[in-house]
């Protein structure tokens, strides 16, 4: 019987082979291999008549290619990059989607995560938060933070892993969400102080979550899926969203000049279907579904659509000044990190045992440390534009570099001044 | 007598802890069990180097030209976009379950028939490997379909196992008919202990060979000596299913070249044959596309991936399985211990007893397992003894995995049942032993 069945199966497979040559759908993505692998395999099994040809590009490279008049033969764009989708839509490169949107909210809180006009749709979201090992935090006498500002305190010195926005792309939005929530100067002052407690993490090295697992930090700024995949793969860690945070949506869209619109819609439908959304729960993915009904399958995953996490973020503002912010971060923090750390560490130490007079003097030093020479820029300001386009234009690159250099010198003078004041304070006491 | 001494010595070693300390091992049991750094990497700087190599290993490479020159150069012809695709979780790939399924972590080697039983020439048009993908403007080479013939084996207590024998059919040729062609399918192997394999004392490997079966135990085994053009000397082939790659850096550069189409200092020319004109004209991602620093970074990562520590070695079932492994003479080829050389980089690899469970020799494994494709020193029936360290974690790190060179076996038992030739006696012993012994043997393998 088994033999007969097997023979039949084999024969059927042989019959199927070569019966219908699959349509090839060119999909441009910036997702890593595990995401592509899980989705591609499931999609091709569900739709054997469509074969995905994956064209991988980083978002800025994908955008630059797709904006060219004679761009590559791409049918679908699928990646976590709001900027890419907004720009493609603005350049009329996307086709309007014909989808059944039932069960797929456009808004998260008050923020739209999908294009209201239907040119692109969210496929998953990822939020910012903190990763730590509860036991190690307890051993170090540290209390689990529940807001970003908790990390300003002296006890977090050398205990935080913080990504550098000019090197780690997810950090752009992390930085800006605090600026948007707290205001320009307060937000930057908080980042200065948090950074003074932090190990700065750059490109190509360990993930911030790994810095925690390796014992180099007690808490890491990260995105939920980095933490969740780490935990799903065996790490003894925990992730929390602070009271106020931001969520970054990933999208899919169909190129207006796609020659395979039907197959493209099949793929888009699949990504946002119950099946496609459930695949996001795979231990190597752990992305937040945009179809709220899927959360019932994931009791350990917080559902941001339930309204328990405060999310207010203006993507346009964040996108327009992301490169500018990265330059400011480097000038104010990365380039003088040692001095910034030293100054804040000394300040905290002296503050602990200071009397009232001394506290007044220390308050003055704090004011110097927190002087912020930049007003919140208007989005059409030339330097914001120059920094935004610095990778594509030599002149703009030069302008942005000059701005960065002057700003860095200004911050260095400021930190030197604070350090001198701290030295004098020490000498007196 | 010689066999008895060998078994006794194996037993002694098995009863001892192989490593002096756990600098090279990991006790991680999660999906990342094969992805952990060795504890030897004890500084932020070294862990950073490891992470940088991992980042390149996981990198999805880009078709040139691109704004990201550091990661472009994929193709013109390629099998996969990233290393990770064929080695998910650094573990094993798998074969498609039928002709309609894509090869996602598998590829097919090609050559043309000839007279030489040890060497065959690459296909004059398609080269030494079928690349199923190509950059825009370049035809891909075609597709390989896997068809299976099924058979059933009955074991000692009436249990049955279904074995599937693959055959390859090449379809959709991109550059004309394939003609008479030899094929060999290969799944991505697990990446365990590659840095240590590189450092095994060559005399140890040589001393274990018995090419003429002088001890008449039915097991011969021979070194695959490979001519190293760069060093102008003969070296032992240690890597690859046919033991025909001499070092880790060669293995890595070769995979980048053949599987991803990335040139490097070791393979400076694009992987196009003389008549693949569009391929030759395709835009290059640099000369070479993979810099020496990048290649070094990936090698660093692979070199320092921690070896899984055996699990539950004192569990009575595991201990019994270990004895069964010896009694069935599995250990005659899957050698439980081997020593590294005295001078190594890093020094921590030097003069260590390691437990790859391989002799790194070629063995005739019989007709059923043969690919009948002579390959750089190995005949069509010869295969390198597959290392077994970490094999018990294969299903932990991958969603679905295959065993043996072409992934035809879906379980360890099936893999054993495919052993023929020099492994025939061991295979027969496993078939005929009581079920409880077989279970114990599998328990032991799963503890590695």
């Amino acid at each position: 019987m088994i033999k007969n069945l097997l023979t039949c199966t084999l024969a059927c497979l042989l019959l199927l082979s070569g019966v219908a040559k699959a349509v090839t759908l060119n999909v441009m993505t910036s997702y890593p291999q595990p995401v592509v692998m899980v989705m591609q395999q499931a999609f091709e099994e569900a739709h054997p008549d469509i074969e995905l040809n994956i064209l991988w590009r980083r978002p800025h490279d994908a955008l630059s290619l797709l904006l060219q008049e004679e761009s590559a033969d791409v049918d679908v764009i699928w990646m976590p990059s709001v900027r890419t989708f907004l720009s493609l839509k603005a350049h009329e490169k996307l086709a309007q989607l014909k989808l059944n949107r039932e069960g797929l909210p456009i808004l998260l809180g008050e923020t739209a995560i999908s294009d209201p006009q239907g040119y692109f749709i969210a496929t998953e979201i990822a939020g910012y938060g903190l990763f730590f090992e509860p036991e190690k935090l307890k051993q170090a006498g540290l209390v689990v933070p529940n807001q970003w500002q908790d990390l300003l305190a002296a006890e977090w010195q050398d205990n935080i892993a913080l990504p550098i926005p000019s090197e780690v792309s997810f950090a752009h939005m992390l930085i800006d969400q605090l600026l948007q929530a707290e205001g320009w100067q307060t937000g930057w002052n908080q980042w200065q102080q948090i950074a003074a407690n932090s190990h700065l993490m750059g490109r190509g090295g360990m993930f911030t979550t790994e810095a925690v697992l390796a014992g180099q930090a007690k808490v890491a700024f990260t995105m939920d899926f980095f933490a969740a995949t780490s935990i799903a793969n065996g790490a003894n860690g925990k992730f929390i969203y602070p009271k106020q945070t931001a969520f970054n949506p990933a999208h899919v869209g169909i190129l207006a000049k796609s020659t395979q619109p039907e197959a493209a819609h099949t793929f888009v439908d699949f990504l946002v279907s119950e099946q496609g959304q459930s695949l996001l729960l795979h231990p190597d993915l752990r992305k937040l579904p945009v179809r709220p009904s899927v959360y019932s399958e994931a009791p350990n995953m917080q559902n941001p659509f339930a309204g328990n996490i405060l999310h207010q973020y203006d993507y346009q503002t964040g996108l327009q000044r992301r490169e500018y912010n990265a330059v400011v971060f480097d000038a104010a923090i990365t380039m003088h990190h040692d001095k910034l750390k030293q100054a804040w560490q000394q300040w905290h130490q002296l503050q602990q045992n200071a009397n009232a007079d001394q506290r007044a003097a220390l308050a003055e030093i704090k004011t110097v440390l927190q002087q912020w020479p930049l007003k919140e820029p208007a989005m059409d300001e030339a330097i914001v534009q120059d920094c935004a386009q610095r990778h594509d234009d030599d002149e703009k690159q030069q302008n942005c570099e000059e701005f960065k250099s002057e700003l860095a010198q200004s911050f260095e003078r400021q930190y030197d001044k604070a350090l001198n004041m701290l030295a004098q304070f020490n000498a007196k006491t | 007598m010689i066999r008895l001494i060998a078994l006794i010595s194996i037993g002694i070693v098995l009863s001892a802890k192989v490593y002096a300390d756990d600098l090279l091992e990991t006790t991680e049991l999660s999906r990342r069990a094969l992805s952990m750094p060795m504890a030897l990497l004890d500084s932020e700087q070294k862990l950073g180097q490891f992470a940088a190599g991992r980042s390149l290993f996981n990198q999805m490479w880009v078709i040139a030209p691109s704004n990201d020159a550091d990661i472009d150069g994929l193709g013109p012809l390629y099998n996969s976009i990233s290393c990770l695709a064929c080695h998910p979780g650094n573990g094993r790939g798998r074969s498609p379950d039928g002709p309609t399924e894509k090869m996602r972590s598998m590829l097919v080697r090609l050559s043309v028939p000839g007279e030489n039983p040890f060497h065959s020439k690459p296909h004059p048009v398609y080269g030494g490997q079928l690349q199923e993908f190509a950059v825009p403007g370049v035809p891909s080479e075609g597709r390989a379909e896997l068809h299976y013939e099924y058979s059933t084996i009955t074991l000692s207590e009436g249990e049955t196992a279904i074995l599937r024998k693959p055959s390859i059919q090449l379809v959709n040729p991109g550059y004309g008919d394939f003609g008479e062609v030899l094929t060999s399918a290969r799944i991505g192997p697990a990446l365990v202990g590659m840095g240590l394999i590189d450092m095994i004392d060559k005399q140890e490997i040589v001393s274990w060979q018995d090419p003429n079966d002088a001890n008449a135990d039915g097991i011969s085994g021979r070194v695959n000596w490979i001519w190293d053009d760069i060093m102008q000397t003969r070296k032992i082939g240690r890597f690859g299913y046919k033991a025909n790659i001499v070092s880790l850096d060669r293995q890595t550069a070769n995979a980048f070249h053949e599987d991803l189409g990335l040139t490097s200092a070791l393979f400076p020319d694009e992987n196009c044959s003389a008549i693949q004109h569009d391929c030759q004209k395709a835009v290059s991602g640099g000369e070479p596309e993979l810099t020496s620093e990048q290649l070094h970074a990936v090698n660093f990562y692979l070199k320092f991936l921690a070896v899984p520590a055996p699990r539950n070695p004192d569990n009575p079932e595991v201990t019994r399985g270990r004895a069964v492994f010896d009694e069935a003479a599995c250990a005659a080829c899957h050698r439980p211990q081997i020593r590294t050389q005295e001078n190594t980089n890093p020094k921590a690899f030097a003069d260590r007893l390691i437990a790859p469970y391989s002799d790194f020799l070629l063995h005739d494994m019989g007709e059923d397992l043969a690919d009948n494709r002579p390959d750089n020193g190995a005949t069509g029936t010869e295969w390198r003894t597959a290392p077994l360290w970490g094999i018990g974690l294969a299903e932990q790190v991958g969603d679905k995995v295959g065993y043996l060179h072409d992934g035809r076996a879906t379980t360890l038992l099936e893999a054993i049942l495919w052993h023929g030739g020099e492994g025939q006696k061991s295979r027969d012993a496993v078939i005929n032993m009581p079920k409880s012994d077989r279970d114990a043997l599998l328990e032991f393998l799963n503890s590695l």
Side-chain angles (χ1 to χ4, degrees):
Chain A
M1 177 64 186
I2 289 176
K3 197 172 175 186
N4 286 345
L5 185 65
L6 291 169
T7 312
C8 170
T9 308
L10 182 63
C12 296
L13 289 173
L14 283 168
L15 277 173
L16 276 172
S17 164
V19 164
K21 193 169 184 286
V23 166
T24 299
L25 190 68
N26 292 320
V27 177
M28 185 161 280
T29 187
S30 65
Y31 272 116
Q33 181 71 48
V35 177
V36 172
M37 189 151 47
V38 167
M39 291 296 178
Q40 183 178 12
Q41 188 164 338
F43 174 75
E44 288 177 346
E45 277 172 17
H47 299 278
D49 53 329
I50 304 172
E51 194 170 280
L52 301 185
N53 180 36
I54 300 296
L55 303 164
W56 201 89
R57 299 259 162 180
R58 288 179 181 143
H60 69 103
D61 193 23
L63 180 60
S64 148
L65 184 78
L66 294 175
L67 289 181
Q68 287 168 23
E69 212 47 51
E70 294 296 323
S71 62
D73 186 14
V74 178
D75 298 296
V76 173
I77 173 129
W78 169 48
M79 57 178 62
S81 173
V82 177
R83 182 176 51 149
T84 301
F85 285 90
L86 287 173
S87 188
L88 287 174
K89 183 189 169 194
H91 286 86
E92 299 180 346
K93 295 284 183 183
L94 295 176
Q96 219 161 4
L97 300 172
K98 296 165 197 155
L99 290 176
N100 176 3
R101 289 167 173 268
E102 201 180 324
L104 295 167
I106 288 185
L107 296 177
L108 174 62
E110 292 175 3
T111 310
I113 53 167
S114 289
D115 179 36
Q117 293 168 299
Y119 284 91
F120 54 90
I121 186 166
T123 53
E124 49 101 347
I125 48 176
Y128 292 89
L130 298 168
F131 175 77
F132 53 90
E133 290 184 289
E135 241 347 271
K136 288 189 186 164
L137 224 54
K138 199 172 162 189
Q139 283 164 12
L142 294 165
V143 179
V144 174
N146 68 10
Q147 56 182 355
W148 305 115
Q149 291 76 9
D150 290 343
L151 300 177
L152 271 65
E155 60 262 34
W156 290 98
Q157 267 171 27
D158 290 327
N159 281 326
I160 305 170
L162 173 65
I164 301 169
S166 59
E167 297 189 33
V168 181
S169 61
F170 80 77
H172 290 283
M173 192 169 163
L174 168 70
I175 299 301
D176 204 63
Q177 58 83 24
L178 192 66
L179 304 182
Q180 290 193 20
E182 297 294 317
W184 180 253
Q185 173 155 358
T186 307
W188 274 116
N189 283 160
Q190 289 180 357
W191 279 126
Q192 279 176 303
Q193 232 175 308
I194 290 171
N197 284 338
S198 300
H199 298 273
L200 298 184
M201 311 287 290
R203 181 189 293 128
M206 277 192 283
F207 299 137
T208 56
T209 46
E210 289 177 319
V212 170
L213 298 171
Q216 288 168 10
K218 294 283 188 301
V219 68
F221 284 88
T222 188
M223 297 193 85
D224 46 21
F225 64 89
F226 284 122
T229 51
S230 190
I231 294 164
N233 280 282
N236 185 27
K238 195 174 172 192
F239 175 85
I240 56 135
Y241 296 106
K243 278 181 188 165
Q244 153 79 46
T245 188
F247 289 90
N248 189 32
H251 296 108
V252 65
I254 299 174
L255 275 297
K257 63 174 212 173
S258 167
T259 53
Q260 309 278 1
E262 200 179 322
H265 271 98
T266 306
F267 180 58
V268 173
D269 275 335
F270 177 83
L271 290 178
V272 296
S273 68
E274 288 277 342
Q275 186 192 353
Q277 290 287 293
S278 299
L279 292 170
L280 296 170
L281 310 179
H282 185 283
D284 293 342
L285 274 59
R286 291 293 156 118
K287 306 267 189 181
L288 297 175
V290 289
R291 186 177 279 282
S293 58
V294 173
Y295 285 90
S296 60
E297 297 172 37
N300 295 327
M301 203 174 240
Q302 281 199 62
N303 175 3
F305 294 96
N308 302 326
I309 309 160
L310 188 58
H311 158 79
Q312 278 181 325
Y313 187 75
D314 179 351
Y315 294 110
Q316 285 284 7
T317 302
L319 289 170
Q320 282 172 333
R321 67 189 188 192
R322 56 178 264 149
E323 294 298 327
Y324 178 82
N325 283 350
V327 166
V328 172
F329 187 97
D330 280 346
I333 293 169
T334 319
M335 293 169 75
H336 314 295
H337 190 229
D338 285 346
K339 287 182 178 177
L340 184 65
K341 271 175 87 167
Q342 213 182 328
W344 273 110
Q345 284 176 7
Q346 285 183 27
W347 189 90
H348 280 302
Q349 217 168 2
L350 294 168
Q351 176 77 0
Q352 265 184 340
N353 303 314
N355 58 32
D357 287 346
Q358 288 168 333
R359 280 180 184 251
L362 285 169
E364 201 184 323
I365 298 173
K366 185 175 177 180
T367 308
V368 171
L369 268 172
Q370 294 194 318
Q371 268 172 15
W372 192 254
L374 295 169
K375 283 187 183 161
E376 184 166 7
M379 291 305 111
D380 58 357
E381 225 172 274
I383 192 61
V384 175
Q385 300 294 324
D386 285 353
C387 288
Q389 292 161 37
R390 67 189 159 135
H391 299 301
D392 309 319
D393 185 313
D394 289 346
E395 195 183 329
K396 288 172 179 172
Q397 162 84 353
Q398 198 181 335
N399 292 345
C400 188
E401 280 302 316
E402 279 170 15
F403 165 72
K404 180 174 160 185
S405 170
E406 281 171 27
L407 192 62
Q409 286 171 31
S410 157
F411 275 110
E412 188 167 27
R413 281 195 297 274
Q414 188 180 319
Y415 299 153
D416 283 339
K417 184 178 172 186
L419 283 167
N420 280 334
M421 290 170 80
L422 286 162
Q424 284 169 19
F425 182 97
N426 259 329
K428 280 184 199 165
T429 54
Chain B
M1 182 61 188
I2 292 171
R3 166 106 180 271
L4 181 64
I5 293 168
L7 287 176
I8 290 170
S9 65
I10 288 163
I12 291 168
V13 170
L14 281 171
S15 63
K17 185 166 167 43
V18 175
Y19 300 130
D21 53 47
D22 58 1
L23 279 180
L24 315 180
E25 288 183 332
T26 176
T27 54
E28 184 73 30
L29 298 177
S30 71
R31 288 172 66 83
R32 293 188 181 168
L34 301 184
S35 304
M36 305 304 292
M38 288 178 177
L40 188 65
L41 303 183
D42 55 0
S43 69
E44 201 168 333
Q45 187 252 338
K46 287 176 188 165
L47 284 169
Q49 261 184 287
F50 180 83
R54 178 186 58 193
S55 170
L56 287 166
F57 182 85
N58 294 348
Q59 180 64 50
M60 303 281 269
W61 294 82
V62 173
I63 294 165
S66 138
N67 291 326
D68 296 313
D70 58 325
I71 54 161
D72 74 1
L74 179 72
L77 297 166
Y78 59 97
N79 293 94
S80 169
I81 295 183
S82 74
C83 305
L84 190 63
C86 291
H87 308 276
N90 291 332
R92 320 169 69 80
R94 58 175 281 256
S95 55
D97 288 328
T100 56
E101 196 184 336
K102 265 189 189 175
M103 291 192 176
R104 299 185 194 279
S105 48
M106 186 178 198
L107 52 83
V108 174
R109 294 270 162 79
L110 305 174
S111 52
V112 286
E115 298 298 316
N116 190 326
F118 300 102
H119 296 272
S120 55
K121 290 183 180 165
H123 192 285
V125 175
Y126 290 92
Q129 186 166 308
L130 180 78
Q131 278 99 8
E132 294 191 312
F133 299 96
V135 303
V138 177
S140 65
E141 292 190 320
R143 219 186 130 228
E145 289 181 348
L146 235 61
H147 299 262
Y148 290 102
E149 189 182 313
Y150 294 85
S151 61
T152 304
I153 286 195
T154 304
L155 308 177
S156 61
E157 296 184 25
E159 325 94 282
T160 55
I162 296 170
L163 302 184
R164 54 180 197 176
K165 185 172 186 178
S167 63
I168 297 162
Q169 194 176 328
L170 302 176
V171 297
N172 307 334
Y175 298 86
D177 190 29
F178 287 100
E180 217 181 333
V181 60
L182 302 177
T183 58
S184 182
R186 314 281 173 90
I187 59 167
L191 305 173
V192 179
M194 296 181 80
L196 288 164
I197 294 172
D198 220 9
M199 296 295 154
I200 291 170
D201 186 348
K202 79 174 180 186
Q203 289 310 324
E204 286 261 326
I205 300 176
V206 171
S207 69
W208 205 254
Q209 69 173 343
D210 181 17
N212 301 315
D213 193 16
N215 63 1
D217 66 351
I219 295 167
S220 53
R222 65 181 184 88
V223 166
N224 191 6
W225 290 104
I226 304 291
W227 180 253
D228 186 329
D229 285 338
I230 297 172
M231 305 303 287
Q232 288 291 299
T233 185
R234 226 170 49 136
K235 287 191 172 178
I236 292 177
R238 299 160 187 245
F239 295 94
Y241 286 112
K242 295 274 189 178
N244 50 23
I245 296 184
V246 297
S247 62
L248 173 58
D249 59 347
R250 284 274 173 150
Q251 172 68 37
T252 313
N254 185 61
F256 268 113
H257 186 250
E258 291 296 313
D259 307 349
L260 281 84
L262 289 161
T263 59
S264 62
L266 290 174
F267 296 92
D269 301 322
E270 295 287 3
N271 57 359
C272 315
S273 69
I275 73 142
Q276 290 174 324
H277 302 299
D278 291 331
C279 178
Q280 289 170 4
K281 284 185 240 159
V283 177
S284 164
E287 293 179 356
E289 291 161 333
L290 187 72
T291 66
S292 297
E293 291 75 23
Q294 288 174 315
L295 185 57
H296 176 76
V298 176
N299 283 329
F300 185 95
Y301 169 65
L302 295 171
K303 186 172 181 173
F304 290 105
L305 280 170
V307 173
R311 276 83 56 210
N312 306 316
D314 301 324
N315 176 305
E317 188 75 345
V318 171
T319 312
R320 199 156 75 87
R322 207 156 58 192
V324 174
F325 186 78
D326 288 354
E327 284 158 18
C330 308
C333 301
H334 290 287
R335 193 179 175 188
Q337 59 141 344
I338 199 158
R339 189 171 288 281
T340 58
Q341 61 203 40
E342 285 180 3
N343 296 311
T344 61
N345 178 20
K347 282 183 184 162
F349 283 9
D351 200 21
R352 277 181 183 269
L353 276 177
I354 57 171
Y357 287 86
S358 172
D359 56 9
F360 299 94
L361 298 176
L362 290 173
H363 294 275
D364 185 327
M365 296 304 292
E367 283 304 320
D368 281 344
L369 208 50
D371 63 359
N372 297 311
R373 176 178 172 268
D375 187 352
N376 200 14
T379 69
T381 57
E382 285 180 321
W383 298 97
R384 182 193 69 159
T385 306
L388 300 181
W389 47 7
I391 202 160
L393 292 166
E395 289 168 37
Q396 179 67 25
V397 302
D399 290 337
K400 196 173 176 188
V401 299
Y403 299 94
L404 299 173
H405 64 281
D406 55 11
R408 67 178 71 188
T410 59
T411 64
L412 285 171
L413 178 61
E414 286 176 33
I416 294 168
L417 297 177
W418 275 109
H419 281 52
E422 295 174 42
Q424 181 78 35
K425 279 188 194 165
S426 297
R427 172 231 189 222
D428 293 346
V430 171
I431 289 174
N432 295 320
M433 65 180 52
K435 181 175 182 301
S436 59
D437 282 0
R438 217 163 25 241
D439 290 345
L441 173 65
L442 294 173
E443 191 72 22
F444 167 63
L445 293 174
N446 278 315
S447 78
L448 297 179

